[in-house]
Amino acid sequence: MNNIVFMKSNCASNNNAHIHANVRASFNEQETLPEIHSTAYIHPLAAVIGNVYLGKRVMVAPAASVRGDEGQPIWVGDDVNVQDCVVLHALETHVNGELVREAVVEVEGAYYGVYISDRVSLAHQCQVHGPASIGFDTFVGMQALVFRATVGNNCVIEPKALVMGVTISDGRYVPAGALITTQEAADNLPYISNEYPLKSLNNAVVHVNTQLARGYQEQKTLVSLRAA
């Protein structure tokens, strides 16, 4: 998180009631404010709570929920879009101050409830429930569910697919509605070829949403300046 511009939201002073710290509980005695890059945009009807990091040009759409108040931390990398009604949440990651190893994913030596890499698209109504990680340039389709799973880079999870308890290697796609709950099924998933119709979908979705994040953030700044 070094060498970046970020803000820690204060809902009282910034009128951001939808962005706030978690409450203290037996499984987490520390209150943590979300850490949000200055170029990220969070719609007022979305919620970002607790131990959450949002990177550059992240777009969080209406009714999305990013909750780092139980399983935590939740990391969302640069140029990620969290579309309408998406849920990011995780299981209890600490008990009596001790890490619950099976409830987290490890990325570059650090532990997370959920880890979303750069340039990932999380499409409308999908859920990524930790322990889970999603690799670079991956598209998670509408109403898909990823739970207790690791998804590689440059993958496509088509709409309404279920991915649970498996690791999906780079460059694979999960057909719409498929249930991938064994490692054998994950290992037999097809590779994305040049003929695959959704091959370039994620690039297009990231292209649109990074522009939306920038535009809405600029609009928000102009409104604030006019009101000052």
Side-chain angles (χ1 to χ4, degrees):
M1 296 185 206
N2 294 329
N3 300 320
I4 62 171
V5 178
F6 65 89
M7 61 179 180
K8 287 201 172 181
S9 172
N10 183 312
C11 60
S13 63
N14 294 333
N15 197 30
N16 289 333
H18 60 302
I19 308 169
H20 58 81
N22 57 288
V23 295
R24 295 183 183 182
S26 62
F27 50 83
N28 184 12
E29 296 183 353
Q30 184 174 355
E31 294 181 27
T32 306
L33 286 164
E35 188 168 336
I36 302 165
H37 193 273
S38 60
T39 59
Y41 176 76
I42 303 166
H43 190 276
L45 295 180
V48 177
I49 300 169
N51 192 354
V52 173
Y53 171 82
L54 300 182
K56 302 173 185 175
R57 298 172 297 277
V58 169
M59 171 69 185
V60 183
S65 176
V66 184
R67 285 179 47 208
D69 57 359
E70 181 183 351
Q72 45 88 33
I74 292 177
W75 177 281
V76 179
D78 297 342
D79 300 318
V80 171
N81 53 91
V82 183
Q83 297 181 21
D84 313 68
C85 300
V86 166
V87 174
L88 297 181
H89 195 239
L91 299 173
E92 187 176 356
T93 49
H94 293 78
V95 173
N96 298 323
E98 297 295 325
L99 182 72
V100 181
R101 184 62 184 85
E102 61 270 23
V104 294
V105 291
E106 183 176 359
V107 180
E108 297 182 351
Y111 297 109
Y112 303 86
V114 173
Y115 190 95
I116 308 296
S117 302
D118 297 348
R119 300 179 303 280
V120 166
S121 295
L122 304 174
H124 316 289
Q125 297 183 318
C126 79
Q127 299 179 48
V128 179
H129 200 290
S133 66
I134 308 292
F136 297 98
D137 299 294
T138 285
F139 179 87
V140 181
M142 293 72 81
Q143 296 185 339
L145 171 61
V146 178
F147 175 47
R148 289 189 179 275
T150 297
V151 179
N153 304 325
N154 297 291
C155 292
V156 173
I157 312 298
E158 292 186 1
K160 291 196 173 183
L162 168 66
V163 176
M164 184 172 71
V166 300
T167 296
I168 294 178
S169 58
D170 297 349
R172 308 265 190 151
Y173 72 90
V174 180
L179 304 179
I180 308 301
T181 59
T182 67
Q183 192 56 48
E184 181 181 6
D187 292 342
N188 287 319
L189 286 168
Y191 284 100
I192 294 173
S193 66
N194 289 331
E195 291 72 37
Y196 178 60
L198 303 183
K199 180 178 185 296
S200 301
L201 176 60
N202 190 65
N203 288 338
V205 175
V206 170
H207 170 72
V208 166
N209 279 275
T210 51
Q211 291 189 58
L212 289 175
R214 181 171 61 249
Y216 283 125
Q217 190 61 263
E218 290 173 353
Q219 183 184 70
K220 179 181 175 182
T221 300
L222 284 174
V223 170
S224 297
L225 290 173
R226 289 169 183 164

